[in-house]
Every structure is written in structure tokens, then in C-alpha cells.
Amino acid sequence: MPELPEVETVRQGLADVLEGQRLVAVSARRPDLRFPIPADFQSRITGRRVASVGRRAKFLLIRLDGDLVLLSHLGMSGSFRIFSGEAPPLQPHDHIELQTGAGVTVRYHDPRRFGFVDLSAAEDTSVHPMLAKLGPEPLEANFTGRYLASQLRGRATSVKAAILDQRVVAGMGNIYACESLFRAGISPRRTAATVVGKRAEALVSAIRDVLAQAIGAGGSSLRDHRQPSGELGYFQHRFAVYGCAGQPCPGCTCDLASSGGVRRIVQAGRSTFYCAKRQR
DNA sequence: CCTTCTCCCTGCAAGC
DNA sequence: TGCTTGCAGGGAGAAG
């Protein structure tokens, strides 16, 4: 499910119901997700008040009173749902449940269990092993064309693989990497080191634009992903290339036969979608 | 260091 | 219908 826009949507939904509230009941219904759930998870967070719900890359950071941060990553199939009042029966793969003093239930659901939770002391969160090497947030001011070009310099891999590297830019995933490259008119197969100057500026702009627009649309709902409220995101209807193999490229005015349409290739084991005519 | 490959896990769709 | 196969939004760790 989740790339940066989806995680940001989840963050907003959780912030609405958790911030300022005390966690009056906590349960972990199995001992592990991708990694073991900390043994003292329940006892350490029960009774604490949520100060804020933040995000770094694709990680949620639920800051609790008393110098403690609950870190959460949704992996491929993780989702949070919020229920006010009486919650419906637990479903398979509902792994973690939080209840607030205001009677709200928050459930973490994750069929594939590639997600995880961890606890971190607040002053150590930025050096947590999962967060320490992350690159800049793509929507913040320090993510610039000059910075991106400096990171891609000397790299022989494809630009698409490079922007999926969380050390280069934090929070990019497969969908928005494809969509960003399409918008920038850059082939995903292009050698990373050749993305310099105006090309790098164009790519940074495209990344910022597509992520901001996706957040504005409530993220993308593929498969069963929803916002925590249960509402669907709708940015998936605006994909230009992702999942559109064989369809006409929305940027080409010529017919399908002469443009070739949207192609699917595999790079570093992940599907890439692009238009070979419009992206160079 | 850089890059690619494999694996973790379940569910779904497509193909036979 | 039922089985097999491939694929899926992520990322760690090993291997080259």
C-alpha cells in the first residue's frame, strides 16, 4: 500500500483522533510482525498521552508523553482503521489495537506482515537504525535539483533505481517514482549520473508536484487500502503510467501504434511503467 | 562503496 | 471448478 502520500494521509487521520488523548488500552495480538514486537510494548505505552503524530519518510512517529516514540512502518499491506464508539469484530490480520480515553479504537491490520512497530526514546529517534540514513524529505526545501544531482553523481544505476534509494530521497516508492519520471520526461532507464542541471531540477519539481497532489487526493487506493476513516483515496485515477501497460501514453498526441503506448519493464526486480517516446 | 538478488508473508488474478 | 504461477505499494541482508 503505502508510499509517502498514503502514509501522510494515515498520519493526518491518526493525528485527528490520537493527539492529546491518553492510550487507555493497548493490545498486540501476536508477538511479531516483520520483526518481534517489543516485549514490553503494551506496558510501556498503556496510560500515556499522545503528544503528536508525525511522519518521516514512510514511517509514522507517534510521540508519547514521557520521552517515548512509537515508530510504525506499514510495509506493503499495512493499514490503520479508526472506529468511534463500539468497534466491529476483529478481522484476521488485525494485529494491534489502541483505545483512547475518548472511546476511539485504532487498529493496525497487515496481511503480509512486512510492516513493524518499535519503541524509541525521543532523543534517539533520529539515530534509530531505520531512520538514521534517510535522505531529505522531498517536500522540504533542502530537496533541490542541485542536491539531487550531487547524490546521483557517479552512480551507474538507473535513475529510477536511484530515486527509490531512501538515502537519496526519503519516502519515494515504486508508483510515485514512475509517475515522477513520466512528468519530468525522463526515461527510468537513464543512467542516474546523467541527471544533472535542468533535468535534475525538472525531476525534483515533478516529485514535489506529484506527491503534493497525491496527498491532496487522500493518497491512492490500490487493492484494499483506505484512509484510516475508511474513505478511499482517489489519486489512483490520475496515474499516467503506473499499471497502464499497453494503454496510450497521456502525453502523446499520436496514435497508440506509433507511440507504442505505456510499457512495462522490470528494473531491480520492480515493475517500471513508462512511455519510451515521451521519456528520454 | 555500489548494485543486484533473494527473501520475508498473504491474497488475488490470470492462465491452464 | 481447481490447481499453479506470477505479481503486489517495502526494505534488510547477502552476495557479487
Side-chain angles (χ1 to χ4, degrees):
Chain A
M1 159 216 125
E3 301 187 24
L4 188 153
E6 290 73 41
V7 178
E8 177 59 22
T9 301
V10 171
R11 185 201 67 74
Q12 292 169 8
L14 293 182
D16 288 345
V17 299
L18 290 181
E19 285 184 354
Q21 298 298 316
R22 199 165 295 280
L23 302 178
V24 296
V26 175
S27 61
R29 305 185 62 248
R30 57 176 299 133
D32 62 309
L33 294 171
R34 177 171 182 175
F35 306 116
I37 296 171
D40 52 359
F41 179 80
Q42 181 177 0
S43 62
R44 282 182 77 188
I45 67 177
T46 301
R48 296 203 194 228
R49 195 188 70 103
V50 176
S52 64
V53 182
R55 179 189 60 73
R56 173 77 170 109
K58 301 171 200 169
F59 295 84
L60 291 165
L61 294 92
I62 302 175
R63 296 186 182 85
L64 305 171
D65 283 354
D67 187 45
L68 192 62
V69 179
L70 168 53
L71 279 176
S72 171
H73 193 291
L74 306 180
M76 294 273 266
S77 60
S79 61
F80 279 96
R81 290 295 299 277
I82 294 166
F83 304 101
S84 298
E86 189 169 352
L90 286 161
Q91 300 292 309
H93 311 303
D94 283 345
H95 302 309
I96 293 174
E97 186 170 88
L98 310 174
Q99 289 176 287
T100 75
V104 169
T105 300
V106 172
R107 284 186 188 154
Y108 178 69
H109 175 89
D110 188 358
R112 291 176 74 179
R113 304 202 305 275
F114 286 179
F116 62 86
V117 293
D118 199 6
L119 297 175
S120 168
E123 67 265 29
D124 294 338
T125 301
S126 65
V127 296
H128 186 282
M130 304 293 283
L131 302 181
K133 294 179 179 174
L134 293 172
E137 286 291 320
L139 295 175
E140 291 189 1
N142 56 346
F143 181 59
T144 63
R146 178 179 294 271
Y147 162 82
L148 180 62
S150 75
Q151 290 294 302
L152 301 184
R153 186 173 303 142
R155 297 188 66 154
T157 192
S158 66
V159 61
K160 195 259 191 166
I163 62 173
L164 283 175
D165 185 335
Q166 301 295 297
R167 296 169 299 182
V168 172
V169 54
M172 288 298 294
N174 203 37
I175 293 175
Y176 297 104
C178 293
E179 294 296 314
S180 299
L181 288 161
F182 173 80
R183 290 182 180 218
I186 297 170
S187 170
R189 305 173 64 174
R190 172 178 281 276
T191 301
T194 70
V195 178
V196 298
K198 287 191 172 168
R199 261 199 195 93
E201 300 285 355
L203 183 51
V204 165
S205 293
I207 288 170
R208 290 176 176 281
D209 289 350
V210 75
L211 293 179
Q213 289 170 23
I215 291 169
S220 300
S221 288
L222 296 186
R223 298 179 177 77
D224 61 352
H225 173 64
R226 289 164 182 262
Q227 301 183 47
S229 62
E231 286 183 84
L232 295 169
Y234 50 91
F235 194 75
Q236 67 277 10
H237 302 302
R238 288 158 62 184
F239 291 166
V241 289
Y242 185 84
C244 300
Q247 296 177 30
C249 160
C252 288
T253 52
C254 53
D255 62 30
L256 181 58
S258 59
S259 76
V262 177
R263 300 184 190 188
R264 176 185 177 275
I265 61 173
V266 175
Q267 293 180 291
R270 318 282 306 270
S271 288
T272 297
F273 298 88
Y274 75 113
C275 172
K277 184 164 184 175
R278 191 168 181 281
Q279 294 175 252
R280 299 293 175 149

